[in-house]
Each structure stands twice: as structure tokens, then as C-alpha cells.
Amino acid sequence: EDQVTQSPEALRLQEGESSSLNCSYTVSGLRGLFWYRQDPGKGPEFLFTLYSAGEEKEKERLKATLTKKESFLHITAPKPEDSATYLCAVQASGGYQKVTFGTGTKLQVIP
Amino acid sequence: DTAVSQTPKYLVTQMGNDKSIKCEQNLGHDTMYWYKQDSKKFLKIMFSYNNKELIINETVPNRFSPKSPDKAHLNLHINSLELGDSAVYFCASSQRRSIGELFFGEGSRLTVL
């Protein structure tokens, strides 16, 4: 069964203090790895798709990277508006495969 | 314009009752989903429909019955509600070729007393 483990569970940063969130995964052939952002009381919002090891994607202060076993979401000089829960998800290759989510990292950025 | 809209946003009901949640998407996507997010924020797929055809049916009690009248709508009916059904239920949509790029509704918080 596909598994996604995210760490840390929670992270508190000062504004401007860069850091990384980790997503470790086990899947029988990776079709795609996905990052989402979820604000309190809202549905998850899609951020990135990564398909193969070595791939990187960037959006504003966020950069996602992928290896064969894990993905990192790097946050550079975060601002308070980056505070949210960040979810990682994977989809296995072969036929129609469901998307499996991790439990997320709750990020709080303090002014 | 709201891309994926679901109603109601909140439901509070007694054990044993039946309730329904409705979902509509205006993105032109061909695949729709129901996800359940528990109190620990774990998001788990329940059902997936592609062009009105059920393609994923996870291990969900048969008290839960999805219905897709057309590819823009997916409803969820729950019979004989139990305390453990309390959760936030999210509707989502995607194109089948981009299954992981999901667009979620704002969620329906169900509380069973």
C-alpha cells in the first residue's frame, strides 16, 4: 500500500527564517507527487506536481524538489501569509491509481 | 465564480438520521471525488466518478451512497449516521489525465450527536 509520511508535524518560523518541509513516500512506481496548501476552514489548494527524481518546481517563496524516496518543500524568507498546513500526496503508476495524502505539516510564520 | 461548490457547509444531526451533501463543479472536469478529512487532518479518498461512472470505491460502509447525475455534479447520501461519521467531507474534481491535480470545494463539516 502507498504511504506518505510528512515531517515535522508542526513548524514555527520567524518571518524571513527559511526552512524545509519533508515528505517521505513509498509507492510501487511513482506517477506523480503533489504538494497542496490548506488554510483553516478551506479545502486544499494545489501547488505543484513533480514527476521524476531531480525535478524542481518554484512558485514565489516555495520550491519543491524530488528524489527517489522523498520530496522537500523549501520556503525561502517566509511571510505570515505563508502560514498554512502543507500536504504532500502521491499517485502510483499503472492503471487508474488513487491519490494518497500525508497528514501534513502545519506551518506558522510569526511576524 | 466558485469552481467547486458544495452544500451545506455545516450539518449537525442526531445519530440514526440520513443526510445528503451536494457538489457541483464548473471547471469542465471529467472526474469528481469525495474525500473525508478526520480530526487529525488525514485526507482519505472515498469515491471517484469519471463521466458518471464509479471508478474508485474505497472501503466505505454501504451507508454511504454517491450519485453522479452528470459529470458536473456528485452528491453524497449518508444513511443511519453514526458518531464516527463526524468529519469534514470534501468534494474535488480533476481531469482524468491529471488525477493528482485536484480542485477542492470548501468542505462540509458534519457533526453527529
Side-chain angles (χ1 to χ4, degrees):
Chain A
E1 177 136 345
D2 303 338
Q3 284 197 321
V4 180
T5 303
Q6 292 187 247
S7 62
E9 283 187 22
L11 182 62
R12 201 168 182 214
L13 298 173
Q14 292 289 331
E15 184 172 0
E17 179 188 0
S18 301
S19 188
S20 295
L21 314 183
N22 177 264
C23 170
S24 298
Y25 64 90
T26 304
V27 67
S28 53
L30 181 70
R31 181 170 177 181
L33 183 140
F34 314 96
W35 282 97
Y36 286 81
R37 169 191 170 125
Q38 186 173 21
D39 292 300
K42 303 284 186 184
E45 177 189 349
F46 170 74
L47 293 173
F48 303 111
T49 304
L50 300 166
Y51 293 105
S52 56
E55 190 174 358
E56 299 182 353
K57 292 270 178 77
E58 281 189 70
K59 182 178 180 178
E60 296 180 1
R61 295 175 291 283
L62 301 177
K63 182 165 109 173
T65 62
L66 181 64
T67 73
K68 288 189 177 178
K69 292 185 178 179
E70 55 192 351
S71 176
F72 293 93
L73 185 65
H74 307 278
I75 304 176
T76 302
K79 297 183 177 181
E81 53 262 42
D82 295 322
S83 298
T85 295
Y86 290 86
L87 299 169
C88 174
V90 297
Q91 185 190 14
S93 57
Y96 186 87
Q97 299 288 351
K98 66 185 182 190
V99 174
T100 300
F101 281 84
T103 49
T105 293
K106 186 173 181 179
L107 174 66
Q108 184 183 14
V109 182
I110 303 160
Chain B
D1 269 352
T2 304
V4 181
S5 58
Q6 52 182 112
T7 56
K9 193 169 170 70
Y10 299 98
L11 303 97
V12 180
T13 190
Q14 299 288 329
M15 269 198 313
N17 285 349
D18 304 339
K19 286 293 177 187
S20 292
I21 308 171
K22 294 187 175 183
C23 178
E24 176 181 5
Q25 56 95 4
N26 63 6
L27 296 167
H29 289 162
D30 57 9
T31 307
M32 295 185 73
Y33 312 80
W34 280 111
Y35 278 82
K36 178 180 180 180
Q37 190 169 48
D38 61 24
S39 56
K40 295 188 177 181
K41 305 297 182 187
F42 182 55
L43 198 60
K44 187 169 164 57
I45 191 167
M46 300 172 68
F47 302 103
S48 173
Y49 272 78
N50 177 254
N51 282 322
K52 304 194 296 176
E53 180 189 350
L54 180 65
I55 52 174
I56 288 180
N57 184 351
E58 287 294 287
T59 311
V60 176
N62 57 16
R63 299 181 294 103
F64 290 78
S65 50
K67 270 197 184 157
S68 181
D70 57 61
K71 72 175 189 177
H73 294 84
L74 180 62
N75 304 322
L76 183 65
H77 188 75
I78 315 170
N79 290 325
S80 304
L81 279 156
E82 300 178 357
L83 292 175
D85 297 332
S86 295
V88 181
Y89 293 85
F90 286 101
C91 178
S93 71
S94 75
Q95 291 288 45
R96 182 163 182 162
R97 64 175 184 272
S98 307
I99 287 170
E101 296 178 12
L102 297 158
F103 288 76
F104 284 86
E106 296 219 326
S108 297
R109 180 176 291 276
L110 171 65
T111 303
V112 182
L113 304 173

